[in-house]
Amino acid sequence: MRTVIVFNHPYELSYCNAILHAVTKGLKNAYHEVDLMHLDNDGFNPAMSSEDLKAFVAHKPIDPQVIDYNQRLEKADHLIFIFPIWWDQMPAMTKGFIDRVLSPGVVYDHHPRGFGLVPLLKNLKSITIITTMNKPKLLYSLFMGNLIKKAVLRSVFKTMGYKNLNWINFTSVKSVSQEKRVKWLDNLENRFSKNR
């Protein structure tokens, strides 16, 4: 199995990085080949230029980095996003990845009858979003309406026709105990050790 991880956090000592290590360890225990797209370390540019937009419309990406990411996505059996929730939404690089890399002709296409979208990543069996935030779960759910679930899982991947979508959200990260944070990491490692 080949799992692509799209990771976005600029601080190497962040809890997101600890999550990345736990997930990667679990996947390797399950004999997955892990392909890491570290957006920060890769220097990914999230901004869509006019040339990018023309290429997007033509279904022919021109940015070598976008083309490379596209080719790696085509080989993925599983796709995992790991990022922090800032101001109730995803960071700019993650949003830019969705805008620039999840492109028509590669990740999805328009239905031939003109209604809806068709998924093109034929190997892809599941998509998991793993996030961290400092807000309490109830506050994010009641007042913000679980924006990540709506914006990423439903609006992006469900609309494209992908199934087996999961969201793991760690809330109140700064205020919980170190013991709880360690337990979360252990649970993640165990969960992905069973991922087949």
Side-chain angles (χ1 to χ4, degrees):
M1 290 289 192
R2 183 184 181 91
T3 299
V4 169
I5 299 177
V6 179
F7 181 81
N8 181 193
H9 200 297
Y11 181 47
E12 62 183 15
L13 298 180
S14 68
Y15 193 65
C16 276
N17 263 278
I19 288 172
L20 173 63
H21 292 303
V23 169
T24 301
K25 187 174 179 184
L27 289 169
K28 289 185 175 178
N29 288 342
Y31 303 103
H32 281 242
E33 179 184 350
V34 178
D35 180 5
L36 174 61
M37 298 178 183
H38 194 309
L39 303 184
D40 302 273
N41 289 354
D42 291 350
F44 177 69
N45 179 5
M48 178 87 81
S49 70
S50 60
E51 293 305 312
D52 286 328
L53 192 53
K54 289 175 191 173
F56 183 92
V57 172
H59 295 196
K60 292 181 180 178
I62 56 169
D63 183 327
Q65 189 177 45
V66 170
I67 293 169
D68 174 61
Y69 283 167
N70 284 161
Q71 290 170 346
R72 290 156 67 184
L73 284 174
E74 288 173 342
K75 299 173 186 174
D77 297 294
H78 302 281
L79 176 59
I80 299 172
F81 285 81
I82 302 172
F83 59 85
I85 294 177
W86 290 342
W87 291 107
D88 303 315
Q89 269 291 4
M90 67 202 84
M93 280 189 176
T94 302
K95 180 61 167 66
F97 183 93
I98 291 169
D99 291 342
R100 299 184 67 224
V101 179
L102 303 185
S103 52
V106 178
V107 178
Y108 69 94
D109 213 338
H110 296 277
H111 196 282
R113 292 184 213 159
F115 181 76
L117 303 176
V118 179
L120 295 181
L121 297 177
K122 300 304 180 186
N123 295 334
L124 200 58
K125 298 175 180 65
S126 68
I127 299 168
T128 301
I129 312 293
I130 305 174
T131 54
T132 63
M133 64 186 305
N134 292 322
K135 267 195 176 86
K137 179 179 180 180
L138 191 60
L139 185 64
Y140 190 67
S141 174
L142 288 180
F143 291 96
M144 300 303 142
N146 288 329
L147 292 179
I148 294 299
K149 185 174 184 180
K150 290 178 180 176
V152 183
L153 292 181
R154 289 183 189 165
S155 181
V156 177
F157 291 112
K158 191 172 182 183
T159 299
M160 290 178 183
Y162 290 99
K163 299 180 181 182
N164 197 8
L165 310 174
N166 305 287
W167 179 33
I168 303 167
N169 185 28
F170 296 103
T171 61
S172 302
V173 172
K174 281 191 176 178
S175 58
V176 299
S177 67
Q178 178 64 12
E179 183 182 12
K180 189 163 189 176
R181 286 193 287 267
V182 169
K183 185 177 180 182
W184 284 344
L185 296 176
D186 290 341
N187 289 343
L188 274 178
E189 183 181 333
N190 290 334
R191 175 177 180 150
F192 286 97
S193 293
K194 298 171 186 172
N195 198 15
R196 303 291 178 187

